Structures are given as C-alpha cells and as structure tokens.
Amino acid sequence: MGNLWFLNLLLPLFLLQLFPILVVSKPYVFPEKYFINCGSDSSLPLGSRKFVGDMNPNSSSVTNGKTVKDSSQQSSLDSGLYQTARFSGHPFSYDLDITDKGLYVVRLHFFPFPNLADALFNVSASSKSLLSNFSVRNTTSVPVIKDFLVPISSSKFRIFFIPAHQSSIAFVNAIEVFLVPSLKDNRTHLSSAGSKGLYQGLPSQLLRTLHRVAFGSLSPSINDSTVVASEWVADDDYIVVRNWAKNCSYQSTIKLHYDDETMDTDNYTAASRNFIPDRVYMGCKNVALNDGQSSKSTNITWHFNVSRNAQHLVRLHFCDILSKSPNTVNFRVSIYNNFSQQIDPYQYSVNTAAPFYNEFVVDSGESDFISVSIVPWEGFTERFAYLNGLEIMEFITQPVW
Ligand SMILES: *[C@@H]1O[C@H](CO)[C@@H](O)[C@H](O)[C@H]1NC(C)=O
Ligand SMILES: *[C@@H]1O[C@H](CO)[C@@H](O)[C@H](O)[C@H]1NC(C)=O
Ligand SMILES: *[C@@H]1O[C@H](CO)[C@@H](O)[C@H](O)[C@H]1NC(C)=O
Ligand SMILES: *[C@@H]1O[C@H](CO)[C@@H](O)[C@H](O)[C@H]1NC(C)=O
Ligand SMILES: *[C@@H]1O[C@H](CO)[C@@H](O)[C@H](O)[C@H]1NC(C)=O
Ligand SMILES: *[C@@H]1O[C@H](CO)[C@@H](O)[C@H](O)[C@H]1NC(C)=O
Ligand SMILES: *[C@@H]1O[C@H](CO)[C@@H](O)[C@H](O)[C@H]1NC(C)=O
Ligand SMILES: *[C@@H]1O[C@H](CO)[C@@H](O)[C@H](O)[C@H]1NC(C)=O
Ligand SMILES: *[C@@H]1O[C@H](CO)[C@@H](O)[C@H](O)[C@H]1NC(C)=O
Ligand SMILES: *[C@@H]1O[C@H](CO)[C@@H](O)[C@H](O)[C@H]1NC(C)=O
Ligand SMILES: *[C@@H]1O[C@H](CO)[C@@H](O)[C@H](O)[C@H]1NC(C)=O
C-alpha cells in the first residue's frame, strides 16, 4: 500500500494536463452596497437588496436636484421604489465611495411620472457617456431599466445626470451599483470581415446591455428580482428562419446541476446560481433534423438589432434539458453566416441540465443586426440543436462631449 503514495501527487498533475481547471461555481450573493432609493428619505427592501433613501444616505451622497413623490404610481415589480424620484433642470450627480475595485453592474431605473415624462437628458460616468439624449416619452413598458457593466478602479465613482438642453430636465428613480466577478478575457473575436481572432482587453470595457432574451419560455417575459440579470423577453419576435422550431420546457421540480464540479475551459463558462433566472435555463427553442433533411437548411435563425460599426459581447446560455442521458448531442452555433462553432455540452460537465455559457466579441460592421443560428449536427446520436438564453452588450466607446 505504502508504495502507491505517489499516485496522490501524480493524479492531480495528470488531471491538470488532460483537463482545464475544475471549479465549483458558487451562488452569487448581492453585496450590501449600493442600492439607492432616489428622492426618498426611507429605506426599501427589494428581495435581498435594501434601497437606502438618498435623503438619508450612508454610503453615497447626492449633489443638487429636487425630490418628487407620486404615490399614485403602481408597479407590480416593487413596493414603492417608483413612487419617488430625484429630478432637476440643472446637472446633478451621485458620489459613491468604492472600497472594492472591480467590475460593477450599474443599473438605472426610470419611471416617468406625468410631470417627468418629457425629460430629455444625458447620463455619464467614468468619463463615458452611458445614455445620451435619453427620453422615456414613447416607451410602452415602464419602468425603463438600463443596465451597464462598468469596471471601477478608483475610490470614488460619480454618476452625472445632465439635462440635454436648457429647457429640459433629468430624473432618476433608483440606482444600483454592485460588484460582480470580472469578465474573462481572450474571447473569440469575429470581425465584420468574418475573420476569427482573440479579443484582448474585455475586463476593461464599459458595456451597455441591449438584449436579454429567454428562448421558448412559457411566459412572454421573465422578471426575477432575486438575480443579477432580472429582466428577460421572449425570443419569438426575433426569429427570421423558423423551420421546425419548437419551444421546450423543463419541469420545475427537477434540479439544475449548477453546483457540481464543472470545468471552465477557454470557451465554456460554468454558470453560477443567482446570475440569471433559473427559468431561462429551464426553457429553450430547439430544432431537430429529421430523416432526409440537410443541416444546411435546417436551423433556427434570429436577428437582434444593434448599432452599425459597434463591438458587442454576445453571451449564449445553454442547458441541456432535452437529453435523457449525457454525451448524446453536439450541434453548431453560427454568428452571421460565416462563423460557426461546435457546441459540446459535455466538454464542460458530465451531467445533463448543467447551465453554462459561451461568449463572443462580435463587430457589427455595416450590419444593423447580429444574426445568431443554431444548427443540428448530422454526426451524432441525437440530431437537434437548442438555445436557452442570449445577452448582447454593446461596448461603450463614446467619451463625454
Ligand atoms: C445603511 O443604512 C441602512 C438603514 O438606513 C442600514 O440598513 C444599512 O446596513 C446601512 N448600510 C451601511 C453600509 O452602513
Ligand atoms: C413581473 O413578472 C410578473 C409575473 O411573473 C408579472 O405579473 C409582472 O407584471 C412583471 N412586472 C413587470 C414590471 O414586468
Ligand atoms: C436629441 O433629441 C432631440 C429630440 O428627441 C432631437 O431633436 C435632437 O436632434 C437630438 N440630438 C442629438 C444630438 O441626437
Ligand atoms: C414620440 O411619439 C410621437 C408620436 O407618437 C412623436 O411625434 C415624437 O417624435 C416621439 N418622440 C420621441 C422622443 O421619439
Ligand atoms: C447631451 O448629449 C447630446 C447627444 O450626445 C449632446 O448633443 C448634448 O450636447 C448633450 N448635452 C449636454 C448638456 O451635455
Ligand atoms: C490573453 O492572451 C494573452 C496573449 O496570448 C496572454 O498574455 C494573457 O495572459 C491572456 N489572458 C488571460 C486572462 O488568459
Ligand atoms: C461575414 O458576414 C458579414 C456580415 O454578413 C459580411 O459582411 C462579411 O463579408 C462576411 N465575410 C466573409 C468572409 O464571408
Ligand atoms: C413558443 O411559446 C410562445 C409563448 O407561449 C408562443 O407565442 C410561440 O408561438 C411559441 N413558439 C413556437 C415555435 O411554438
Ligand atoms: C474555442 O473556440 C475557438 C473558436 O471557435 C476555437 O478555435 C478553439 O479551439 C476553442 N477552444 C477550445 C478549448 O475548445
Ligand atoms: C439556415 O437555413 C436557411 C434555409 O432554411 C439557409 O438559407 C441558411 O443558410 C441556414 N443558415 C445556417 C447558418 O445554416
Ligand atoms: C429592428 O430594426 C428594423 C429596421 O431598422 C425595424 O424595422 C424593427 O422594428 C426593429 N426590431 C425591433 C425588435 O426593434
């Protein structure tokens, strides 16, 4: 027995060579700071977050602006967060003391009261323009929530709200600024010319969320205030090639395999609980290749509107809720028509129903949309392809005027 002791030393080395790092993904827990209930003197709990009134702040300060309360405002999402706001015809700003440097979600909530509906303003932070010429006048769904990812490396963080011109006003109902794990670097980069490379420098980018889409979900929209990315819309309006697309869903009584030992590889990232709603991983759109069909013409394709000549982080969420046993399916994902990547759900986990995501940096070039397709693969036992969730974030490069 004694002469086998060295296996204990060798085995980990051997595994490291064969496989990438084993990680156990931990559930995300919201930090205490900073959740601000603008224009209010009282604190308000929302899930595990406590929104502190900006008239009695303890970790932020606000300069200028007036407060307004409108108790007639009703929203199913909250209990009072949208009944107060701070507004002004002059610039105002919030100052936060940052103790932990890193990547922050910056989330702004706007709920236009009748007398604020004509507001037209700019929002900036970290010398970049987060929103410019922003108006909520014609939005059909309220509240309007804008989400950003901002790397913060200084000890002060300041957000400016600036009326777009002399006769307009700026306002905000609630602000969230909270620490999340940094983005991984060196993602596959698809330039508009269709070439492939590695994108370096992702952790230092400011990003604006454009789309969060849940595929095949039973309800048209998902909002879940217990997770980081709470608002999702259904995919059906984005489909351009439908073929034999089907909605799929997973019984909510069955467990998603988040917390198993999983492998983070270059292209596959283990999802953590509490980042996106479980329900996104419990639904999907899928397409199957029937006998006699060619994978060249059997796919589902979606188009997502973006700005021309911009760079985007495209994050695709997968969770194999369809296979009865692992290792029976492989398929392809295409971005535009000229890039495709094999998706092997079992590169990453030995279980079915294990949530993970892949990220790509995509240049839009002259295109005003990003095209995403899933394509079944002929050479495997199960010949279907699926997609559970998608996020598209635009790189913010516009400096403050
Ligand atoms: C801020 O004040 C609220 C009560 O208004 C309290 O619950 C919270 O713990 C305080 N946070 C910090 C970071 O001091
Ligand atoms: C949030 O979702 C619930 C259903 O889960 C829905 O009734 C409610 O209207 C949604 N709220 C918003 C603001 O979308
Ligand atoms: C800002 O918006 C206003 C009205 O919506 C428009 O008239 C103006 O041209 C816009 N300015 C810029 C710089 O986009
Ligand atoms: C809002 O919609 C009205 C007509 O419905 C239009 O005249 C106006 O330009 C729109 N405003 C903005 C800011 O898009
Ligand atoms: C707000 O942004 C618009 C569009 O970028 C710009 O034209 C305008 O000058 C800005 N207004 C102020 C007061 O900075
Ligand atoms: C990204 O790639 C560069 C160049 O190959 C390398 O120096 C760097 O360490 C990589 N970064 C990460 C986080 O893997
Ligand atoms: C790749 O697709 C983009 C967008 O459709 C197109 O502009 C580009 O020419 C294509 N590149 C190649 C090499 O086919
Ligand atoms: C998927 O479900 C949505 C919402 O119930 C529905 O509107 C849509 O038509 C369904 N799509 C397919 C392909 O069955
Ligand atoms: C990651 O994806 C890129 C682009 O498709 C591919 O070249 C590379 O081999 C993949 N790496 C791994 C470890 O699968
Ligand atoms: C998807 O299918 C359509 C025909 O149904 C075909 O024209 C298109 O090239 C296919 N796209 C991909 C990425 O395979
Ligand atoms: C996407 O852009 C096109 C053309 O600009 C427009 O017709 C369409 O309504 C947009 N789709 C969405 C979902 O906004």
Side-chain angles (χ1 to χ4, degrees):
M1 210 180 129
N3 59 359
L4 287 177
W5 63 271
F6 60 90
L7 273 185
N8 285 337
L9 290 177
L10 285 181
L11 202 61
L13 285 177
F14 168 75
L15 281 174
L16 271 181
Q17 272 178 355
L18 267 192
F19 299 109
I21 309 153
L22 287 169
V23 295
V24 178
S25 63
K26 294 201 184 65
Y28 179 78
V29 178
F30 278 109
E32 254 181 60
K33 294 185 281 191
Y34 303 87
F35 303 100
I36 306 173
N37 185 10
C38 304
S40 172
D41 56 4
S42 55
S43 287
L44 202 73
L46 186 62
S48 58
R49 291 164 290 171
K50 185 180 236 171
F51 284 76
V52 177
D54 68 355
M55 291 157 78
N56 283 317
N58 50 8
S59 55
S60 68
S61 64
V62 58
T63 48
N64 302 328
K66 290 176 281 246
T67 64
V68 59
K69 189 175 174 91
D70 185 341
S71 307
S72 68
Q73 301 305 320
Q74 290 290 329
S75 162
S76 52
L77 196 70
D78 76 280
S79 53
L81 199 57
Y82 301 124
Q83 294 185 352
T84 61
R86 182 168 293 271
F87 76 100
S88 180
H90 299 287
F92 63 94
S93 62
Y94 284 85
D95 263 332
L96 310 180
D97 292 324
I98 300 293
T99 42
D100 299 311
K101 299 181 169 115
L103 185 67
Y104 281 78
V105 168
V106 174
R107 183 175 296 154
L108 307 174
H109 299 249
F110 305 99
F111 194 102
F113 301 163
N115 52 339
L116 298 177
D118 284 342
L120 184 68
F121 56 103
N122 300 342
V123 180
S124 67
S126 294
S127 309
K128 292 273 174 26
S129 172
L130 300 186
L131 295 172
S132 103
N133 224 14
F134 177 64
S135 157
V136 288
R137 194 182 311 158
N138 286 351
T139 46
T140 46
S141 73
V142 290
V144 178
I145 297 173
K146 296 287 177 184
D147 242 35
F148 306 89
L149 283 174
V150 181
I152 302 181
S153 57
S154 58
S155 57
K156 279 264 182 228
F157 180 64
R158 185 176 278 185
I159 311 174
F160 296 91
F161 295 82
I162 305 159
H165 48 75
Q166 283 192 334
S167 58
S168 57
I169 57 166
F171 80 97
V172 61
N173 297 74
I175 300 174
E176 300 175 60
V177 178
F178 56 92
L179 191 64
V180 290
S182 284
L183 296 176
K184 283 220 217 159
D185 209 1
N186 294 351
R187 296 304 198 183
T188 300
H189 180 196
L190 314 180
S191 74
S192 50
S195 68
K196 254 189 344 189
L198 281 186
Y199 187 91
Q200 266 184 269
L202 206 44
S204 61
Q205 292 298 324
L206 256 78
L207 303 173
R208 173 192 293 122
T209 300
L210 298 181
H211 299 285
R212 281 209 180 101
V213 182
F215 293 77
S217 279
L218 299 173
S219 86
S221 70
I222 295 178
N223 59 58
D224 175 351
S225 65
T226 63
V227 300
V228 170
S230 47
E231 310 271 315
W232 296 73
V233 300
D235 71 289
D236 295 271
D237 290 347
Y238 302 93
I239 297 187
V240 293
V241 176
R242 189 175 291 274
N243 281 315
W244 296 270
K246 282 202 190 103
N247 286 327
C248 36
S249 66
Y250 193 55
Q251 288 164 290
S252 55
T253 49
I254 301 174
K255 193 169 160 264
L256 295 179
H257 289 115
Y258 276 108
D259 20 32
D260 299 304
E261 291 202 331
T262 53
M263 291 158 215
D264 259 9
T265 74
D266 288 355
N267 298 327
Y268 297 76
T269 306
S272 296
R273 196 181 279 282
N274 296 352
F275 255 90
I276 76 172
D278 280 359
R279 290 196 37 207
V280 174
Y281 288 122
M282 290 174 165
C284 66
K285 272 280 188 308
N286 76 309
V287 59
L289 196 60
N290 296 315
D291 287 341
Q293 285 174 346
S294 157
S295 67
K296 286 197 175 63
S297 58
T298 307
N299 64 70
I300 314 176
T301 300
W302 296 266
H303 284 180
F304 302 98
N305 284 1
V306 297
S307 300
R308 288 190 168 85
N309 297 311
Q311 289 195 305
H312 305 85
L313 181 65
V314 175
R315 185 181 288 159
L316 301 176
H317 295 271
F318 300 97
C319 181
D320 184 3
I321 56 173
L322 293 169
S323 299
K324 299 253 181 319
S325 57
N327 264 320
T328 51
V329 69
N330 255 227
F331 55 96
R332 285 189 302 118
V333 153
S334 282
I335 294 180
Y336 292 122
N337 257 324
N338 46 26
F339 166 82
S340 101
Q341 177 159 316
Q342 191 84 13
I343 301 293
D344 172 5
Y346 301 98
Q347 269 251 320
Y348 141 83
S349 170
V350 295
N351 286 307
T352 59
F356 68 95
Y357 60 85
N358 289 41
E359 290 179 331
F360 304 88
V361 173
V362 180
D363 297 359
S364 53
E366 289 308 310
S367 174
D368 60 3
F369 60 84
I370 288 176
S371 162
V372 175
S373 310
I374 53 171
V375 189
W377 197 42
E378 283 146 353
F380 234 74
T381 329
E382 302 264 23
R383 300 184 304 167
F384 64 82
Y386 66 88
L387 182 59
N388 304 72
L390 165 140
E391 294 174 86
I392 296 181
M393 291 162 259
E394 182 185 17
F395 290 25
I396 300 179
T397 52
Q398 196 189 359
V400 179
W401 43 94

